[in-house]
Amino acid sequence: MSTDDTTPDGLIPAAILASDTPVAVYGYARAKAGEEGRMLGEIQAIIGLTRKEDGCEQYVVHTTPDQPGAFAFYERWSSGAHLLAHVSQPFMQTYFAAIAGLVEGELEANWLHPLS
């Protein structure tokens, strides 16, 4: 995606951020070899904080012993504005900076609009 139709940092499409109805995302990230423990710690540090945020309907992170360092995320927010508030939180800015050097490749995000 081009930077002119997504924000912030090209991660979230502008249409998602503008939504006044619930939005959801499922994503995937893999830690670099040797960084699995650090990545896990960074993720665990934000789960509770995120779940307490206004508009957070669901925030779940999964992993599997068969693929150490592989993390699957599912988030559902009441609106795009709630999602934008979430990614703008200081703890999320710290998180994004911390994982930048830990992630193998790019973060994958698949944005969803509920049917009802």
Side-chain angles (χ1 to χ4, degrees):
M1 289 184 253
S2 66
T3 56
D4 63 335
D5 68 356
T6 60
T7 188
D9 299 322
L11 184 62
I12 305 169
I16 294 294
L17 293 174
S19 177
D20 59 1
T21 60
V23 296
V25 60
Y26 69 89
Y28 179 81
R30 178 177 292 281
K32 290 180 179 176
E35 300 292 0
E36 297 87 353
R38 285 183 57 203
M39 180 95 164
L40 175 61
E42 295 294 339
I43 292 168
Q44 288 175 320
I46 66 166
I47 292 173
L49 295 169
T50 298
R51 288 179 179 164
K52 292 177 185 175
E53 288 184 71
D54 185 41
C56 179
E57 296 180 8
Q58 189 171 18
Y59 189 87
V60 183
V61 184
H62 301 271
T63 191
T64 174
D66 297 338
Q67 295 181 34
F71 302 94
F73 300 78
Y74 178 79
E75 304 176 37
R76 181 177 157 107
W77 295 90
S78 298
S79 70
H82 288 102
L83 174 61
L84 179 58
H86 164 64
V87 298
S88 300
Q89 292 288 334
F91 76 87
M92 286 302 297
Q93 296 301 307
T94 299
Y95 166 77
F96 287 131
I99 68 164
L102 305 178
V103 175
E104 182 70 40
E106 298 291 323
L107 294 173
E108 295 179 29
N110 298 282
W111 298 97
L112 310 167
H113 289 277
L115 294 176
S116 60

